[in-house]
């Protein structure tokens, strides 16, 4: 279609008689071909990530969906596909993973743990180092009660009052 031609820079004439994967990254082609053949054989929709070459030569990640159109008897009569550019999302996810790893390493080096608390849902998460500092197995789900058990007696009332203030939205 026109959108694919504009994205890839491959005209309908250039694509005629060539494989569907002429713009797929070489490292992704075999897996894409296997998945596509399986979908054709089974009639099941396809959903996968693969890189496609843009008109300028840059490969970008795409989330590819292909779904069958069936007749009244359930027979596949046509396939529809759509690709969504997810390159920016992949880069952001990679940057987040690196940032999380950096934070984890910094907490280990400095022996400082952290935790997050979603007041609305009550969900609490601890860093690996927080578990380590408190001597708690990482399979144990964090709770406010568990946190309060580790507060020094001299600080207990202050921390309890602050938690209450936060829960009240003050």
């Amino acid at each position: 279609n026109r959108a694919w031609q504009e994205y890839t820079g491959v005209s309908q004439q250039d694509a005629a008689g060539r494989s569907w994967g002429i713009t797929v990254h070489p490292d992704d082609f075999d897996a894409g071909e296997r998945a596509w053949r399986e979908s054709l054989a089974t009639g099941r929709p396809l959903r996968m990530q693969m890189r496609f070459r843009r008109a300028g030569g840059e490969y970008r990640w795409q989330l590819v969906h292909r779904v069958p159109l069936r007749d009244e008897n359930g027979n596949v009569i046509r396939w529809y596909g759509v690709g969504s550019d997810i390159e920016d999302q992949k880069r952001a996810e990679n940057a987040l993973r690196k940032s999380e790893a950096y934070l984890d390493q910094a907490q280990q080096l400095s022996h400082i743990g952290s935790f997050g608390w979603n007041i609305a849902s009550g969900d609490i998460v601890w860093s690996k180092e927080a578990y380590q500092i408190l001597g708690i197995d990482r399979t144990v789900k964090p709770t406010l009660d568990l946190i309060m058990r580790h507060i020094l007696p001299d600080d207990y009332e202050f921390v309890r009052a602050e938690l209450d203030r936060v829960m009240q939205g003050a």
Side-chain angles (χ1 to χ4, degrees), residues 117 119 159-170:
W117 176 27
I119 298 169
V159 172
R160 179 83 259 160
E162 288 300 302
L163 287 173
D164 291 342
R165 186 180 63 77
V166 168
M167 288 189 284
Q168 297 300 324

Side-chain angles (χ1 to χ4, degrees), residues 106-121:
Q107 288 186 31
Q108 287 177 9
L109 290 171
S110 62
H111 300 293
I112 297 173
S114 64
F115 76 95
W117 176 27
N118 181 327
I119 298 169
S121 70

Side-chain angles (χ1 to χ4, degrees), residues 4-149:
W4 183 83
Q5 290 178 43
E6 289 174 6
Y7 187 87
T8 64
V10 177
S11 70
Q12 189 171 358
Q13 295 82 5
D14 291 340
R18 296 176 73 187
S19 164
W20 67 270
I22 61 174
T23 62
V24 173
H25 191 283
D27 292 345
D28 300 339
F29 181 80
D30 289 341
E33 182 71 13
R34 279 191 306 276
W36 177 227
R37 293 286 165 216
E38 182 179 329
S39 287
L40 285 173
T42 63
R44 287 194 304 259
L46 169 84
R47 182 174 190 256
M48 69 180 302
Q49 297 178 13
M50 50 195 330
R51 291 163 288 184
F52 285 86
R53 188 181 61 246
R54 292 200 59 171
E58 171 192 21
Y59 283 96
R60 291 183 60 91
W61 282 100
Q62 296 273 322
L63 178 59
V64 177
H65 292 269
R66 291 182 182 163
V67 295
L69 174 65
R70 299 179 184 277
D71 65 15
E72 61 277 352
N73 297 320
N75 299 312
V76 176
I77 56 175
R78 174 175 284 168
W79 284 85
Y80 289 97
V82 65
S84 304
D85 188 308
I86 59 169
E87 180 71 27
D88 295 338
Q89 175 186 335
K90 295 282 263 185
R91 289 180 183 176
E93 289 169 351
N94 190 44
L96 179 59
R97 272 191 296 280
K98 286 180 179 178
S99 177
E100 288 173 340
Y102 179 76
L103 176 60
D104 188 49
Q105 185 178 35
Q107 288 186 31
Q108 287 177 9
L109 290 171
S110 62
H111 300 293
I112 297 173
S114 64
F115 76 95
W117 176 27
N118 181 327
I119 298 169
S121 70
D123 291 337
I124 300 172
V125 294
W126 289 351
S127 67
K128 291 178 196 173
E129 192 64 15
Y131 278 103
Q132 180 70 25
I133 291 167
L134 297 173
I136 298 173
D137 186 281
R138 289 186 45 204
T139 61
V140 173
K141 183 179 179 184
T143 65
L144 287 179
D145 183 53
L146 193 52
I147 293 169
M148 293 305 294
R149 284 190 231 155

